[in-house]
């Protein structure tokens, strides 16, 4: 599973609020993947992707 963060990210931090061990909004104001998720994390990562207000997050298998 791979998470991508597109150019539409505006750093709202919804993803970070769901899984701060996987996502972090950096000093640059954009979200970053700080740890690659595993299958165990799938439900939370899918929630972060679905909850992104700018639809900047993507998830591929």
């Amino acid at each position: 599973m791979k998470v991508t963060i597109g150019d539409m990210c505006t750093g709202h931090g919804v993803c970070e609020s769901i899984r701060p061990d996987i996502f972090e909004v950096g000093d640059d104001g954009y979200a970053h993947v700080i740890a690659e998720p595993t299958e165990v994390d799938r439900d939370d990562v899918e929630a972060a992707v679905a909850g992104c207000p700018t639809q900047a997050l993507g998830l591929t298998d």
Side-chain angles (χ1 to χ4, degrees):
M1 168 177 25
K2 179 158 177 71
V3 178
T4 57
I5 301 175
D7 294 341
M8 297 185 318
C9 178
T10 55
H12 286 275
V14 172
C15 55
E16 183 179 25
S17 71
I18 293 172
R19 285 301 295 265
D21 58 324
I22 295 175
F23 301 99
E24 178 178 73
V25 176
D27 293 338
D28 60 359
Y30 299 102
H32 301 275
V33 177
I34 58 172
E36 288 299 322
T38 66
E39 273 305 310
V40 174
D41 306 316
R42 182 174 288 278
D43 288 345
D44 289 341
V45 172
E46 287 177 348
V49 170
C52 179
T54 61
Q55 299 178 343
L57 298 180
L59 180 63
T60 57
D61 286 317

